[in-house]
Amino acid sequence: MPLTLTVDRTRWQTHLRGLLEDVPGLVPVAKGNGYGFGLRMLATETARLGLRTLAVGVAQEVAAVRAGGFAGDIVVLNPWRPFDDAATALLDDSRIITTISRAEDLRAVAASHAHARVIVEIETSMHRHGLRPDELSERDLADLTFEGWAVHLPASGSLEEAKRLASAALAVKRAPVWVSHLSVSDYRALRTALGVRTHMRIGTRLWLGDKRAYTTTATVLDLHQVRSGDRLGYHQVKAPRNGWIVVVSGGTAHGVAMAAPTPQRSLRQRGVTVAQGVLDALGRSLSPFAIGGRKQAFAEPPHMHSSMVFVPGADAGVRIGDEVPVTARMTTVTADEVRMV
């Protein structure tokens, strides 16, 4: 009774190989829920592609990608902090490359774990992590195994910003540059302009770049016919009209209906947000489950491992055991089972 991710193996792997050919120095990113595929599967696929470096989000994810059979170098993207015991325990591991984003942290690691492999992150216009290159001197890097500079750009990465920040860093010490969120053409231009070894870290564009290569489906677990006004669910809300309660696999434990806020950049986006708010206020929140060719409303908020969906009319349109499409984003939804076809 799983929430299932079905992957067209040939199509998916063709996309992976194509991007790998276009992006010399590509470093796959496997973090969080593994973009819906799971960390172990992405680690296995990285090894199959013959790549020697993989990036994870936090130190706690290292064990999962190693369990997936990846034996190469692992970059931990979340910057080291002195209170992160898991990250500190990895500093002496010769296969781990730790990200450092503060001058005081760099000096602390150099003093306590000489020769640890590190990347220093430069502050970009994101203003999330990072330091200014002029906060450091080449001497600050001398006692460590310095693997290069990281330039983590906003989602719409700017070649101009990447060049400017990387050039400032290379004036301190020439070393590889690790960049994120550039187009392929801008990345190639950056490689040529800098004249040093470069890497581009890619997650979503790599694993989810061909949307026709995968589908997510939920299993119909139960069906109950209800009449208008019947009480239902944990919260005993009333059925809005005659119809069916369709119980499907997939709930909050899978990330169903758990979405981050998004910036409202256009009138259309604002209109969609307003419309969704009206539906929520009326108790008609749309679910990501498509039944009868359209997304249907939640009968009540999703449960941990399943959801109750309301389908109006005399016919539910599905039977127990059927699979129905799930339209939620793979970066937020984690499947129980991955099926390669």
Side-chain angles (χ1 to χ4, degrees):
M1 302 183 295
L3 190 72
T4 304
L5 171 65
T6 301
V7 184
D8 181 332
R9 183 194 302 271
T10 300
R11 188 180 188 107
W12 188 57
Q13 292 181 342
T14 296
H15 164 73
L16 300 182
R17 288 192 299 270
L19 192 58
L20 186 60
E21 292 171 2
D22 286 341
V23 183
L26 186 152
V27 174
V29 176
K31 61 183 180 180
N33 70 347
Y35 298 88
F37 297 90
L39 293 176
R40 292 181 64 159
M41 179 175 171
L42 298 190
T44 300
E45 198 61 29
T46 299
R48 189 195 66 79
L49 289 168
L51 297 173
R52 300 179 60 84
T53 306
L54 173 65
V56 298
V58 295
Q60 290 78 1
E61 293 168 344
V62 168
V65 298
R66 282 184 166 159
F70 184 77
D73 292 340
I74 300 173
V75 179
V76 179
L77 299 176
N78 205 53
W80 180 84
R81 292 292 184 264
F83 45 77
D84 188 339
D85 293 338
T88 299
L90 295 174
L91 287 171
D92 291 324
D93 189 323
S94 64
R95 288 294 191 182
I96 298 296
I97 303 174
T98 298
T99 300
I100 305 290
S101 66
R102 303 190 303 174
E104 57 266 40
D105 289 346
L106 185 72
R107 294 171 187 129
V109 170
S112 62
H113 294 80
H115 310 300
R117 301 177 70 188
V118 302
I119 293 172
V120 173
E121 183 168 345
I122 304 304
E123 184 178 7
T124 70
S125 58
M126 280 188 65
H127 301 300
R128 186 173 69 172
H129 300 302
L131 49 73
R132 300 188 318 274
D134 61 12
E135 294 180 58
L136 302 178
S137 67
E138 190 167 355
R139 178 68 191 87
D140 292 318
L141 304 168
D143 294 332
L144 295 161
T145 304
F146 184 52
E147 300 288 349
W149 306 97
V151 181
H152 189 76
L153 298 164
S156 55
S158 158
L159 175 58
E160 179 184 356
E161 182 179 7
K163 281 183 180 179
R164 174 172 53 81
L165 295 176
S167 297
L170 294 177
V172 175
K173 184 177 178 62
R174 291 192 68 77
V177 172
W178 306 65
V179 67
S180 304
H181 300 146
L182 283 178
S183 67
V184 172
S185 59
D186 282 353
Y187 171 68
R188 287 179 171 273
L190 181 70
R191 284 173 59 91
T192 301
L194 297 180
V196 297
R197 183 158 51 93
T198 58
H199 301 280
M200 185 147 75
R201 305 179 306 204
I202 304 179
T204 304
R205 206 183 333 171
L206 178 64
W207 308 117
L208 301 175
D210 185 347
K211 297 188 187 311
R212 291 181 293 177
Y214 54 87
T215 56
T216 308
T217 54
T219 306
V220 176
L221 306 178
D222 226 326
L223 293 169
H224 299 284
Q225 192 167 20
V226 294
R227 298 183 63 81
S228 178
D230 284 353
R231 294 193 176 274
L232 56 94
Y234 280 125
H235 305 285
Q236 290 292 277
V237 298
K238 292 181 179 180
R241 68 194 105 173
N242 295 347
W244 291 81
I245 300 300
V246 180
V247 184
V248 292
S249 59
T252 55
H254 302 88
V256 170
M258 301 178 72
T262 56
Q264 308 298 300
R265 294 193 178 94
S266 68
L267 286 175
R268 181 182 180 279
Q269 289 173 321
R270 292 170 185 166
V272 169
T273 299
V274 170
Q276 184 60 55
V278 170
L279 288 172
D280 291 346
L282 295 173
R284 297 290 296 155
S285 299
L286 283 179
S287 78
F289 305 103
I291 301 173
R294 56 178 292 182
K295 290 199 295 184
Q296 302 291 350
F298 284 115
E300 70 168 358
H303 307 156
M304 186 168 288
H305 292 103
S306 63
S307 296
M308 295 173 67
V309 178
F310 180 77
V311 178
D315 183 5
V318 289
R319 296 175 299 176
I320 293 175
D322 284 354
E323 292 187 352
V324 298
V326 181
T327 60
R329 295 184 180 183
M330 290 294 296
T331 50
T332 59
V333 172
T334 304
D336 293 307
E337 176 182 296
V338 180
R339 182 167 58 199
M340 286 284 190
V341 297

